[in-house]
Structure formats: C-alpha cells, structure tokens
Amino acid sequence: MRVSREVAEENRKRVVETAGRLFRQHGYDGIGVATLMKAAGLTQGGFYKQFEDKSALAAEATETALAENRKMWEDVIAASDAAPGEAIARWYLSPSHVHTAAEGCCFAALAAEAPRQGEKVQSIFREALEASLQLLTGPDGDREEAMRQLSTMVGALVLARAAGSDALAKELIEAAKPKS
C-alpha cells in the first residue's frame, strides 16, 4: 500500500525521534533495526525505504537529539535570571536528568561511541559542542571555562549514571555543581 508524502514524512520523523531516544538509552549498537522500527510502530521493511542504512539513521537521529538538547539549554537560559553556565548546571546536574538517559543529554549518552560511528556523526558532535560552548559562554564569557564546565558536567553525569542510585552518584553530581 502506498502512503502519502505527508505520512511518509511523519513516519520518518517518528523513526528518527524513536532512534534518538533508543540510541541514548541503549547505545548505537544496542538496538537493532527490527526493534527500533517496532518501537516506532512501523515495519522493518519500511526502514530501507526511508534510510540508506543504520549509520545514516544514526547520523540523523544524533543531529536531531543534539538539536533538542540545544533547544532545552536555550529554554533553561531564557527562563533563568542566572548566568548561562549557572542556569545550565542547575538543570543539567539535577536528579531528574541523571535518571532520564533516553530523553537526556546526547553528549553523556553517546559521545564515547561517536568515534566508532564515523566522520559524519563526529562532525555533528563537533558542531553541537561548539553551539553548547557558545551558550555556556554567553556574549562575553570565557571559552576555556565553558569547556571546563561542559567537560565536568558531562563527565559527572556519565559517572553518576554508571554508579547508579547511591550516595556516590549524588556526590559526583554535587561535586560538579558550580560553587557560588
């Protein structure tokens, strides 16, 4: 059965969004095409009508997930009276963010896997890192300090998730928060 262009676009968007969540939750290699398509409510056969291969989907899903992250950061900054770095840190290092890998930071979930995905995914990460650094620095901030903060926050989130729900995870998150 043939689907309209609009339905095909909606289906593609649903696959990309589902892949972004599942990749963040399970890693790029932790989820297969059949499982991914089932989670999106579509058949596996439809995958190859929409994407050249899984690596093409990985690149598109990563780009979309990182754009969602950037939008979240922008919203957090806009809603706060604090400096950009402080506003981001409050949200980023919150317990709810630690426990929501599938909807959380793509850097923390997938950066370690990006080099194995090839230049396209690495390029997408580079661009997103630059955009995040610009958000952290604000109009007249210190780029090196923004790099330090970003590295600390992402590292703390990764380690807290690895430690699980215990005192060490909480200590890691607290240690990464900016000192006022």
mmCIF file of all heavy atoms in Angstrom, residues 7 9-19 21 36 39-42:
data_model
loop_
_atom_site.group_PDB
_atom_site.id
_atom_site.type_symbol
_atom_site.label_atom_id
_atom_site.label_comp_id
_atom_site.label_asym_id
_atom_site.label_seq_id
_atom_site.Cartn_x
_atom_site.Cartn_y
_atom_site.Cartn_z
ATOM 1 N N VAL A 7 2.429 11.375 5.129
ATOM 2 C CA VAL A 7 2.513 10.232 6.042
ATOM 3 C C VAL A 7 3.938 9.688 6.065
ATOM 4 O O VAL A 7 4.469 9.361 7.130
ATOM 5 C CB VAL A 7 1.496 9.128 5.649
ATOM 6 C CG1 VAL A 7 1.732 7.849 6.443
ATOM 7 C CG2 VAL A 7 0.073 9.622 5.853
ATOM 8 N N GLU A 9 6.665 11.372 5.573
ATOM 9 C CA GLU A 9 7.472 12.321 6.351
ATOM 10 C C GLU A 9 7.223 12.166 7.846
ATOM 11 O O GLU A 9 8.152 12.217 8.646
ATOM 12 C CB GLU A 9 7.201 13.758 5.892
ATOM 13 C CG GLU A 9 7.801 14.070 4.539
ATOM 14 C CD GLU A 9 7.451 15.466 4.029
ATOM 15 O OE1 GLU A 9 7.037 16.315 4.844
ATOM 16 O OE2 GLU A 9 7.595 15.687 2.821
ATOM 17 N N GLU A 10 5.965 11.975 8.224
ATOM 18 C CA GLU A 10 5.632 11.746 9.633
ATOM 19 C C GLU A 10 6.285 10.458 10.140
ATOM 20 O O GLU A 10 6.790 10.407 11.261
ATOM 21 C CB GLU A 10 4.113 11.671 9.827
ATOM 22 C CG GLU A 10 3.407 12.998 9.700
ATOM 23 C CD GLU A 10 1.893 12.850 9.772
ATOM 24 O OE1 GLU A 10 1.397 11.843 10.340
ATOM 25 O OE2 GLU A 10 1.206 13.746 9.262
ATOM 26 N N ASN A 11 6.234 9.412 9.327
ATOM 27 C CA ASN A 11 6.845 8.131 9.696
ATOM 28 C C ASN A 11 8.356 8.285 9.880
ATOM 29 O O ASN A 11 8.930 7.769 10.841
ATOM 30 C CB ASN A 11 6.553 7.058 8.651
ATOM 31 C CG ASN A 11 5.115 6.600 8.664
ATOM 32 O OD1 ASN A 11 4.364 6.857 9.612
ATOM 33 N ND2 ASN A 11 4.711 5.924 7.603
ATOM 34 N N ARG A 12 8.991 8.997 8.963
ATOM 35 C CA ARG A 12 10.439 9.207 9.053
ATOM 36 C C ARG A 12 10.781 9.970 10.337
ATOM 37 O O ARG A 12 11.700 9.606 11.057
ATOM 38 C CB ARG A 12 10.950 9.967 7.829
ATOM 39 C CG ARG A 12 12.455 10.195 7.844
ATOM 40 C CD ARG A 12 12.897 11.022 6.639
ATOM 41 N NE ARG A 12 14.321 11.166 6.635
ATOM 42 C CZ ARG A 12 15.172 10.369 6.019
ATOM 43 N NH1 ARG A 12 14.730 9.333 5.320
ATOM 44 N NH2 ARG A 12 16.462 10.586 6.079
ATOM 45 N N LYS A 13 10.006 11.013 10.607
ATOM 46 C CA LYS A 13 10.240 11.803 11.817
ATOM 47 C C LYS A 13 10.086 10.932 13.058
ATOM 48 O O LYS A 13 10.884 11.008 13.988
ATOM 49 C CB LYS A 13 9.274 12.985 11.860
ATOM 50 C CG LYS A 13 9.461 13.885 13.057
ATOM 51 C CD LYS A 13 8.491 15.047 13.045
ATOM 52 C CE LYS A 13 8.693 15.890 14.283
ATOM 53 N NZ LYS A 13 7.723 16.947 14.410
ATOM 54 N N ARG A 14 9.069 10.084 13.074
ATOM 55 C CA ARG A 14 8.839 9.193 14.218
ATOM 56 C C ARG A 14 10.005 8.216 14.387
ATOM 57 O O ARG A 14 10.450 7.962 15.501
ATOM 58 C CB ARG A 14 7.525 8.444 14.052
ATOM 59 C CG ARG A 14 7.166 7.609 15.274
ATOM 60 C CD ARG A 14 5.780 7.041 15.200
ATOM 61 N NE ARG A 14 5.501 6.557 13.860
ATOM 62 C CZ ARG A 14 4.296 6.324 13.384
ATOM 63 N NH1 ARG A 14 3.247 6.524 14.127
ATOM 64 N NH2 ARG A 14 4.121 5.869 12.165
ATOM 65 N N VAL A 15 10.526 7.688 13.281
ATOM 66 C CA VAL A 15 11.666 6.769 13.359
ATOM 67 C C VAL A 15 12.894 7.502 13.899
ATOM 68 O O VAL A 15 13.600 6.986 14.769
ATOM 69 C CB VAL A 15 11.964 6.129 11.979
ATOM 70 C CG1 VAL A 15 13.278 5.357 12.009
ATOM 71 C CG2 VAL A 15 10.822 5.222 11.556
ATOM 72 N N VAL A 16 13.149 8.701 13.412
ATOM 73 C CA VAL A 16 14.317 9.481 13.857
ATOM 74 C C VAL A 16 14.210 9.802 15.343
ATOM 75 O O VAL A 16 15.174 9.638 16.093
ATOM 76 C CB VAL A 16 14.478 10.765 13.008
ATOM 77 C CG1 VAL A 16 15.501 11.713 13.613
ATOM 78 C CG2 VAL A 16 14.861 10.404 11.573
ATOM 79 N N GLU A 17 13.039 10.246 15.794
ATOM 80 C CA GLU A 17 12.850 10.569 17.211
ATOM 81 C C GLU A 17 12.963 9.325 18.087
ATOM 82 O O GLU A 17 13.574 9.359 19.158
ATOM 83 C CB GLU A 17 11.509 11.271 17.422
ATOM 84 C CG GLU A 17 11.499 12.676 16.852
ATOM 85 C CD GLU A 17 10.128 13.334 16.874
ATOM 86 O OE1 GLU A 17 9.117 12.662 17.228
ATOM 87 O OE2 GLU A 17 10.057 14.521 16.533
ATOM 88 N N THR A 18 12.380 8.231 17.637
ATOM 89 C CA THR A 18 12.466 6.972 18.385
ATOM 90 C C THR A 18 13.913 6.506 18.452
ATOM 91 O O THR A 18 14.394 6.092 19.514
ATOM 92 C CB THR A 18 11.580 5.890 17.725
ATOM 93 O OG1 THR A 18 10.224 6.344 17.716
ATOM 94 C CG2 THR A 18 11.670 4.573 18.472
ATOM 95 N N ALA A 19 14.609 6.591 17.341
ATOM 96 C CA ALA A 19 16.020 6.179 17.310
ATOM 97 C C ALA A 19 16.851 7.040 18.254
ATOM 98 O O ALA A 19 17.716 6.527 18.976
ATOM 99 C CB ALA A 19 16.573 6.272 15.892
ATOM 100 N N ARG A 21 15.950 8.475 21.028
ATOM 101 C CA ARG A 21 15.710 8.009 22.403
ATOM 102 C C ARG A 21 16.374 6.660 22.656
ATOM 103 O O ARG A 21 17.043 6.464 23.669
ATOM 104 C CB ARG A 21 14.210 7.912 22.686
ATOM 105 C CG ARG A 21 13.536 9.238 22.942
ATOM 106 C CD ARG A 21 12.119 9.067 23.483
ATOM 107 N NE ARG A 21 11.295 8.130 22.726
ATOM 108 C CZ ARG A 21 10.638 8.424 21.601
ATOM 109 N NH1 ARG A 21 10.704 9.639 21.096
ATOM 110 N NH2 ARG A 21 9.909 7.525 20.994
ATOM 111 N N LEU A 36 13.930 -1.239 16.663
ATOM 112 C CA LEU A 36 13.732 0.200 16.514
ATOM 113 C C LEU A 36 12.439 0.492 15.748
ATOM 114 O O LEU A 36 11.630 1.327 16.173
ATOM 115 C CB LEU A 36 14.936 0.788 15.781
ATOM 116 C CG LEU A 36 15.076 2.286 15.787
ATOM 117 C CD1 LEU A 36 16.545 2.644 15.683
ATOM 118 C CD2 LEU A 36 14.324 2.902 14.649
ATOM 119 N N ALA A 39 9.411 -0.291 17.809
ATOM 120 C CA ALA A 39 9.192 0.762 18.808
ATOM 121 C C ALA A 39 8.558 1.999 18.178
ATOM 122 O O ALA A 39 7.807 2.719 18.837
ATOM 123 C CB ALA A 39 10.503 1.128 19.496
ATOM 124 N N ALA A 40 8.858 2.248 16.909
ATOM 125 C CA ALA A 40 8.275 3.385 16.189
ATOM 126 C C ALA A 40 6.887 3.060 15.636
ATOM 127 O O ALA A 40 6.228 3.924 15.063
ATOM 128 C CB ALA A 40 9.203 3.821 15.056
ATOM 129 N N GLY A 41 6.468 1.797 15.786
ATOM 130 C CA GLY A 41 5.153 1.395 15.305
ATOM 131 C C GLY A 41 5.100 1.140 13.812
ATOM 132 O O GLY A 41 4.042 1.230 13.196
ATOM 133 N N LEU A 42 6.270 0.804 13.238
ATOM 134 C CA LEU A 42 6.347 0.570 11.794
ATOM 135 C C LEU A 42 7.005 -0.784 11.521
ATOM 136 O O LEU A 42 7.586 -1.394 12.414
ATOM 137 C CB LEU A 42 7.150 1.699 11.133
ATOM 138 C CG LEU A 42 6.564 3.096 11.308
ATOM 139 C CD1 LEU A 42 7.570 4.159 10.915
ATOM 140 C CD2 LEU A 42 5.291 3.243 10.496
#
